[in-house]
Amino acid sequence: AQEKIDELTNRLKKYAHQYYVLDEPVVSDAEYDKLLQELMELEEQHPELKHEDSPTGRVGGEPLDQFRKVQHDVPMLSLSNVFNEEDIRDFDRRVRSGLGKTPTYSCELKIDGLAVTLKYEEGKLVLGATRGDGTTGEDITHNLRTISSIPLTLNEPVTLEVRGEAFMPKKSFERLNKEKEENGEALFANPRNAAAGSLRQLDPKIAAKRHLDIFIYSLGEYPEKELNSHHEALEYVSSLGFKTNREAHHLESIEEVIEFCESWQDKRADLPYEIDGIVIKVDSLEDQQQLGFTAKNPRWATAYKFPA
Ligand SMILES: COc1nc2nc(N)nc(N)c2nc1C
């Protein structure tokens, strides 16, 4: 039974990674569900052989009786906002004067969800928390463990922290509101509220049914790994097993940044999730450290917000 459970668990973890993280399913849903059912039955007969990161655990455990507050080792800051081409050029001017040179930029989609932080110790998920007020958040590990695109164990036994945006895809949002309407319940106003509402539950079985997803966008504590740029950091977290958004682009000039921002204004309607802007970051980590932070925001990043 032990090797059957190990073989099934490893196979299902690989299938889940392909499906939920890489969006490249290698087996049919029916095949996946059949194997999952088989593993569940084996784990029921031999609970002591169940892997702690088994895919069967994504259904959520027992409800908590209250939320625990957590202090963020590194504050979760917010981004300054820019609203038009002139603002973007002002941001670029400030950056160039701060650096005394012209940097390259990383641009990525600003997902309209909920900022969360994930801490791993020796490759195991130990804490998932909301941003809260930036210094103190809520422990929602029990809910985040049900999101299949969040790895419970990493490909390397590293100790690190990553941050990302948890969100509800448009299709899941529409389906949820349709259910609510049929049950005569109040509807969620938008996917962001639906994601926040799902993650602020004490009972993880609720979040488990909400088809939530996540894109990781930054690496907090830098492990001993030698990294020089933001886009390299994203490649590294992706290699560990995290889900990153493929529309992250390393651009050579602010002209390209402006073009990128304007191009996604209309294109966003075709995305399977909502975005409310584009995040513009100085790409070199050394340049980021040179520019530092104001009390509230990084000086080396800003969020271009689409007109409402
Ligand atoms: C470096 O700090 C940040 N980076 C970000 N990146 C993306 N893609 N989306 C965000 N919402 C975001 N928020 C913050 C505070």
Side-chain angles (χ1 to χ4, degrees), residues 119-147:
K119 285 180 93 166
Y120 289 76
E121 278 169 13
E122 283 152 41
K124 298 217 173 311
L125 178 63
V126 294
L127 174 70
T130 62
R131 178 180 174 283
D133 62 10
T135 309
T136 308
E138 283 173 342
D139 181 343
I140 54 166
T141 313
H142 60 301
N143 287 327
L144 292 173
R145 288 179 68 87
T146 69
I147 300 181

Side-chain angles (χ1 to χ4, degrees), residues 14 33 44-45 78 81 99 124 155 170 172 174 177 225 242 296:
K14 190 178 171 330
D33 292 344
E44 233 147 79
Q45 289 154 21
S78 52
N81 291 332
L99 293 176
K124 298 217 173 311
N155 298 338
K170 289 175 184 171
S172 310
E174 281 143 25
N177 262 356
K225 184 98 186 148
F242 288 107
K296 286 193 305 135

Side-chain angles (χ1 to χ4, degrees), residues 76-79 107-111 115 131 163-165 215-218 230 276 278-281 288 293 298 300-301 303:
M76 289 182 73
L77 297 175
S78 52
L79 292 171
C107 284
E108 49 205 52
L109 305 184
K110 189 172 181 306
I111 311 302
R131 178 180 174 283
R163 281 150 184 197
E165 198 84 359
F215 286 120
I216 299 301
Y217 57 63
S218 89
H230 174 68
D276 59 347
I278 300 294
V279 179
I280 306 165
K281 295 175 182 173
Q288 289 183 9
F293 298 83
W300 44 268

Side-chain angles (χ1 to χ4, degrees), residues 44 47 98 169 232 264 301:
E44 233 147 79
E232 279 171 21
W264 277 102

